[in-house]
Amino acid sequence: MSNQNKSAEEDNCECFTRASNKPCPPIRNVTHPLRYYEFTQDELKALEECDKESFYQRCLPFSTLFASLTYAAIKFGFTKRDPNFGVVPKVMLSALLGHVYGRLTYIAECDEKLRKKLPGSSHLGRTMQNYYNERNPPPKI
């Protein structure tokens, strides 16, 4: 870092400390180690497969179920319809919630699939396997 940039940062910090009566925050370089990672073709294929399966196996059924139940609840008088827009806002919101719920319930299966399906040369597969092993150590006998 050049002296000019350093002095500018110190001036900003001094101004900050005078205004708030607090010490300067530490300067950190926050760069994620996988920031410039490029996925391999196998990884992209596995991620796309997870995306499709989660949509067709979870999101679509849950969205349909939630929207149908909401419409039935409005039709049979359990909830009121909106005076200006009718049933549309509540049905759309319940379909959106069904979609989100479907994605969330498929995360564990997708995680397992990526850990086991990706080849050993895959950095993503190794990283996910290491993360899983750190959080789920084998039982001690």
Side-chain angles (χ1 to χ4, degrees), residues 30-39:
V30 182
T31 303
H32 195 274
L34 296 176
R35 181 176 182 182
Y36 300 109
Y37 180 72
E38 292 185 26
F39 294 103

Side-chain angles (χ1 to χ4, degrees), residues 112-126:
E112 182 179 351
K113 181 180 289 191
L114 290 174
R115 282 187 286 113
K116 294 181 178 180
K117 184 177 181 182
L118 291 175
S121 62
S122 167
H123 179 70
L124 178 65
R126 282 194 318 270

Side-chain angles (χ1 to χ4, degrees), residues 106-139:
Y106 200 77
I107 288 175
E109 290 180 29
C110 189
D111 177 51
E112 182 179 351
K113 181 180 289 191
L114 290 174
R115 282 187 286 113
K116 294 181 178 180
K117 184 177 181 182
L118 291 175
S121 62
S122 167
H123 179 70
L124 178 65
R126 282 194 318 270
T127 302
M128 291 180 71
Q129 189 66 42
N130 292 340
Y131 183 81
Y132 179 79
N133 290 338
E134 287 174 6
R135 271 121 188 101
N136 301 306

Side-chain angles (χ1 to χ4, degrees), residues 27-82:
I27 298 172
R28 299 184 313 207
N29 183 6
V30 182
T31 303
H32 195 274
L34 296 176
R35 181 176 182 182
Y36 300 109
Y37 180 72
E38 292 185 26
F39 294 103
T40 64
Q41 290 298 321
D42 290 335
E43 293 168 347
L44 287 174
K45 184 178 177 184
L47 289 168
E48 287 174 1
E49 188 176 305
C50 273
D51 185 47
K52 284 182 183 178
E53 287 178 2
S54 72
F55 178 76
Y56 288 113
Q57 292 180 10
R58 299 289 173 86
C59 295
L60 197 59
F62 280 122
S63 291
T64 305
L65 177 69
F66 286 15
S68 300
L69 289 175
T70 303
Y71 181 75
I74 292 170
K75 184 177 180 182
F76 293 117
F78 292 107
T79 60
K80 293 181 180 181
R81 66 178 51 217
D82 187 270

